[in-house]
Amino acid sequence: MPRAIAVLGGTGPEGFGLALRWVRAGETVIIGSRDAGRAREAAAKILAAVGGSATVSGEENVAACAATDLLVLTIPFEGHCGLLKQIRPAIRPGSIVIDTTVPLAASVGGRVTRTLGIWEGSAAQQAAELVPQGVSVVAAFHNTSADILNGDAPVDCDVIVCSDDAAAAQTVRTLASKIPGVRAIDGGKLENARILEQITALLIGLNIRHKGHSGIRITGLPEKAYAVS
Ligand SMILES: NC(=O)c1ccc[n+]([C@@H]2O[C@H](COP(=O)([O-])OP(=O)(O)OC[C@H]3O[C@@H](n4cnc5c(N)ncnc54)[C@H](OP(=O)(O)O)[C@@H]3O)[C@@H](O)[C@H]2O)c1
């Protein structure tokens, strides 16, 4: 049985776009939402878009979390702590939690081009303190534009993956590289998530200034840095 991916907050543009790309790549996806009906509607949209043998369903967030051990958080920072506390009892031992959250100042009424200072260092490190022991947090996909993910073209963006669990990071790099155009790069320890999160605020500023959907490419590394295994 393939490992399903639960995309919590997958009704929003970032989670929906990731889910769409993974379903297209043949992965099994469960869309999570605070509302099971909304999750099922999003799953139906992906099914209609991908067709064929697409395997996608929708559940309320806690049920989606309980159904698998590969979770993706795609919710705004204002819901980050609350959702993690809510799903905590349902997180299976040994799970991987992929955190895409950018703690934008907009979460507290500030600018979308600034990030908040987080006591733990980053949203992903905050997540690591909120999940049960033995659950690995991996930071990734912060710099991948939802607008591009929701299109059909290859995604012109590298995904830098940071975690204190090397095996979990490898799993996530494999998952990232299933998205056409994406090169997944080992970005080191989870503490580097702080930088990934801040780059997004810069990208949002560039998008506003130049009216586009910017991403990042890392150049100058040996070929093996871009290889998945
Ligand atoms: N948009 C991008 O281009 C982009 C790019 C890179 C990273 N990100 C990051 O990815 C995350 C999701 O981005 P997004 O643009 O998809 O966000 P969003 O549209 O604001 O929210 C995504 C989903 O999260 C759920 N949600 C909203 N408020 C919540 C709360 N207080 N508690 C729990 N769930 C809540 C909603 O789903 P339900 O109402 O169905 O529960 C919503 O559809 C953010 O942290 C963002 O910084 C976004």
Side-chain angles (χ1 to χ4, degrees), residues 91-108:
I91 301 179
R92 294 184 185 183
S95 288
I96 295 174
V97 176
I98 304 171
D99 199 348
T100 72
T101 311
V102 180
L104 294 176
S107 294
V108 293

Side-chain angles (χ1 to χ4, degrees), residues 7 16 31 55 76 81 87 92 109-110 113 139 162 180 202 206 223:
V7 183
F16 189 90
I31 299 280
T55 44
C81 192
I87 63 170
R92 294 184 185 183
T113 51
C162 299
L202 176 68
L206 292 173
E223 214 34 59

Side-chain angles (χ1 to χ4, degrees), residues 102-107 110-116 197-198 201-202 204:
V102 180
L104 294 176
S107 294
R111 296 190 182 178
V112 288
T113 51
R114 288 183 183 160
T115 53
L116 298 169
E197 293 170 10
Q198 289 180 4
L202 176 68
I204 293 171

Side-chain angles (χ1 to χ4, degrees), residues 8-18 31-39 42 59 61 73-84 86 99-104 107 123 140-150 197 200 203-204 207 213-214:
L8 309 183
T11 54
E14 183 70 5
F16 189 90
L18 286 169
I31 299 280
S33 164
R34 289 170 292 183
D35 179 275
R38 218 161 31 239
E59 299 277 0
N61 282 326
L73 299 182
T74 57
I75 53 152
F77 183 68
E78 58 265 32
H80 187 253
C81 192
L83 179 69
L84 280 161
Q86 190 196 2
D99 199 348
T100 72
T101 311
V102 180
L104 294 176
S107 294
F141 304 107
H142 301 83
N143 312 134
T144 330
S145 156
D147 290 279
I148 304 297
L149 284 170
N150 282 292
E197 293 170 10
T200 304
L203 295 178
I204 293 171
N207 292 346
H213 304 295
S214 52

